[in-house]
């Protein structure tokens, strides 16, 4: 189990250009596997184009109380990149004026940003339809100062989306660290106690599953049934939906794939499971990702690979929805993670 980020360890794979080199060379360079561009060209889907903006996903910082093995952000307690209030103010301006109906705050652990609560309070006033915070759950139990987060979320009608890789302690702790399961269960019970996740409640609580190794997620609907049954029977926990997400070969998951000698096999499985129907709805077509320092990306994955949007509007300070609409999406082989099987996005399956 990792205790430090790749950045802190000084690993080569902390560098986005090294990751992109790996994704472009080897089996993709020698023609064993088609590049993503070639693959989507077969069905005339290249270039991938951005449609109308619906979701603004804001990454408020890479600091996290956990150091999960699969993390594509390479987040951890040692990451110091944090969005400032000034950048948040620029984001608020965009939230007020853009046509997006969903605001999605992510990290790291977004709650660790010292201006997180101020930002949520201000953003909630805009009255955006769906206001998501991606909470890793353990942060709620990590320190006394976070214990009231469920109440805070409720006050601002926040939709909580939380990672929960499995309903058993062993599988969860293996991927996310010792003690994560017990803290997550307690946090879910705290959320349920004030109405989150209850069958008829408007306080939305969704869980995110991602595989614990070099394999693709199973069927989202049947996994949701299994999760619901087990969490209810074992802990009395209820939630609304389960999103099954594919791990993309980026940062710590890429490091894991290489270290465990699974990289090529995993890329083969992604390419073999390629589903052209999933391409139409990949999340970059209706989402914009904003980094802690205000730069714009097609998605959180491109943000981590430092692949900026292909548009003259590159920073939140010069946000221009018209210029961004219809832009060509920047792609590489990591995109196969979004188009395998039923597809994958921050809201789970897409096909
Ligand atoms: S996967 Fe989420 S909880 Fe885990 S280290 Fe990354 S940001 Fe933190
Ligand atoms: S990785 Fe990002 S750019 Fe590539 S298909 Fe997925 S959402 Fe789109």
């Amino acid at each position: 189990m990792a205790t430090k980020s790749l950045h802190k360890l000084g690993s080569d794979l902390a560098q986005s250009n090294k990751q992109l080199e790996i994704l472009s060379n080897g089996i993709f360079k020698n023609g064993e596997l088609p590049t993503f561009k070639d693959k989507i060209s077969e069905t005339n889907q290249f270039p991938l184009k951005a449609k109308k903006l619906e979701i603004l996903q804001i990454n408020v910082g890479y600091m996290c109380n956990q150091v999960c093995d699969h993390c594509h952000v390479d987040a951890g307690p040692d990451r110091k990149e944090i969005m400032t209030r000034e950048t948040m103010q620029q984001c608020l301006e965009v939230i007020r004026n853009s046509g997006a109906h969903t605001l999605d705050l992510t990290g790291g652990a977004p709650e660790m940003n010292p201006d997180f609560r101020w930002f949520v309070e201000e953003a909630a006033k805009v009255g955006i339809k769906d206001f998501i915070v991606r909470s890793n759950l353990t942060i709620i139990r990590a320190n006394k100062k976070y214990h009231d987060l469920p109440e805070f979320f409720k006050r601002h009608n926040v939709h909580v989306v939380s990672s929960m890789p499995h309903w058993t302690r062993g599988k969860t702790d293996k991927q996310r660290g010792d003690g994560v399961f017990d803290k997550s269960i307690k946090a879910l019970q705290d959320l349920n106690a004030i109405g989150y996740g209850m069958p008829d409640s408007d306080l939305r609580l969704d869980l995110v599953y991602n595989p614990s190794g070099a394999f693709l997620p199973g069927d989202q609907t049947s996994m949701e049934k299994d999760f619901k049954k087990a969490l209810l029977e074992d802990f009395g926990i209820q939630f609304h939906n389960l999103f099954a997400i594919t791990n993309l070969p980026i940062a710590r998951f890429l490091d894991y794939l290489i270290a465990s000698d699974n990289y090529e096999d995993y890329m083969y499985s992604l390419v073999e499971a390629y589903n052209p129907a999933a391409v139409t709805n990949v999340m970059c077509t209706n989402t914009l990702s904003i980094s802690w320092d205000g730069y714009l990306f097609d998605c959180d994955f491109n943000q981590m690979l430092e692949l900026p949007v292909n548009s003259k509007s590159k920073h939140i300070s010069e946000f221009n929805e018209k210029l961004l609409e219809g832009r060509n999406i920047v792609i590489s082989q990591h995109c196969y993670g979004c188009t395998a099987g039923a597809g994958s996005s921050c809201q789970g399956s897409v096909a």
Side-chain angles (χ1 to χ4, degrees):
M1 187 69 220
T3 53
K4 288 182 181 156
S5 68
L6 296 173
H7 275 76
K8 184 74 178 173
L9 293 169
S11 159
D12 264 8
L13 277 183
Q15 307 307 321
S16 56
N17 59 341
K18 291 284 172 209
Q19 298 176 49
L20 286 165
E21 238 174 76
I22 291 167
L23 291 167
S24 304
N25 289 334
I27 41 180
F28 291 103
K29 192 159 192 182
N30 69 18
E32 260 183 64
L33 289 178
T35 62
F36 190 70
K37 178 183 172 188
D38 288 347
K39 197 71 186 169
I40 63 173
S41 298
E42 285 171 12
T43 42
N44 296 322
Q45 286 165 297
F46 179 81
L48 257 182
K49 292 262 184 200
K51 298 181 239 176
K52 193 176 152 14
L53 177 65
E54 295 184 72
I55 303 170
L56 276 171
Q57 188 174 62
I58 304 181
N59 193 317
V60 298
Y62 302 159
M63 188 181 282
C64 190
N65 58 317
Q66 293 182 190
V67 194
C68 306
D69 279 345
H70 67 282
C71 184
H72 75 271
V73 178
D74 189 27
D78 54 57
R79 296 299 300 268
K80 306 297 179 214
E81 300 90 337
I82 286 288
M83 185 175 274
T84 61
R85 197 178 276 214
E86 191 193 351
T87 306
M88 287 177 175
Q89 250 145 358
Q90 292 171 332
C91 290
L92 285 168
E93 199 50 34
V94 169
I95 297 162
R96 283 186 203 107
N97 298 317
S98 84
H101 56 62
T102 298
L103 175 63
D104 186 341
L105 299 192
T106 188
E111 301 93 331
M112 290 180 86
N113 182 311
D115 287 315
F116 170 75
R117 292 194 191 216
W118 173 82
F119 190 37
V120 169
E121 279 159 13
E122 292 303 310
K125 289 181 197 159
V126 180
I128 202 142
K129 202 168 134 207
D130 190 7
F131 186 179
I132 297 170
V133 171
R134 291 186 186 262
S135 176
N136 67 18
L137 292 176
T138 61
I139 192 71
I140 296 173
R141 305 305 309 167
N143 183 303
K144 249 192 178 157
K145 68 178 178 181
Y146 298 121
H147 285 3
D148 68 330
L149 275 169
E151 287 289 351
F152 175 77
F153 291 146
K154 181 177 177 172
R155 246 187 340 272
H156 299 291
N157 199 20
V158 162
H159 170 179
V160 178
V161 177
S162 295
S163 315
M164 191 72 196
H166 207 257
W167 62 81
T168 60
R169 184 174 288 106
K171 285 198 174 162
T172 300
D173 285 1
K174 185 171 174 285
Q175 181 184 114
R176 296 174 77 78
D178 287 344
V180 165
F181 183 76
D182 290 342
K183 281 195 193 133
S184 303
I185 292 295
K186 179 72 183 82
L188 287 171
Q189 287 167 337
D190 291 351
L191 286 160
N192 274 176
I194 58 166
Y196 268 102
M198 305 315 278
D200 296 322
S201 173
D202 289 338
L203 295 168
R204 305 288 309 167
L205 173 62
D206 297 324
L207 298 185
V208 176
Y209 159 87
N210 67 290
S212 56
F215 54 93
L216 306 186
D219 173 64
Q220 182 168 278
T221 311
S222 55
M223 260 194 299
E224 181 179 281
K225 275 193 200 132
D226 294 344
F227 264 77
K228 285 197 166 175
K229 187 169 180 288
L231 287 176
L232 186 63
E233 279 177 10
D234 297 350
F235 305 101
I237 288 170
Q238 304 200 64
F239 65 96
H240 291 125
N241 295 112
L242 181 83
F243 303 150
I245 292 188
T246 303
N247 289 315
L248 263 66
I250 297 175
R252 288 211 286 272
F253 191 66
L254 179 60
D255 182 59
Y256 156 79
L257 289 174
I258 293 169
S260 61
D261 213 9
N262 274 307
Y263 168 71
E264 292 195 357
D265 286 349
Y266 190 68
M267 295 314 287
Y268 263 92
S269 342
L270 291 182
V271 175
E272 275 162 18
Y274 172 76
N275 174 5
V279 179
T280 326
N281 294 322
V282 280
M283 64 182 169
C284 47
T285 56
N286 69 349
T287 304
L288 201 60
S289 153
I290 302 160
S291 63
W292 65 277
D293 50 357
Y295 285 92
L296 309 180
F297 298 87
D298 297 310
C299 67
D300 203 52
F301 304 115
N302 281 10
Q303 183 184 139
M304 299 315 147
L305 290 171
E306 297 180 272
L307 296 169
V309 279
N310 187 356
S311 165
K312 283 195 178 126
S313 175
K314 285 198 182 306
H315 192 267
I316 194 77
S317 57
E318 55 185 28
F319 180 87
N320 183 323
E321 199 166 340
K322 281 226 160 61
L323 278 180
L324 288 158
E325 199 169 313
R327 71 186 184 277
N328 289 348
I329 306 285
V330 181
I331 55 169
S332 182
Q333 282 49 265
H334 63 293
C335 297
Y336 274 118
C338 295
T339 57
S344 177
S345 75
C346 286
Q347 320 284 334
S349 303
V350 298

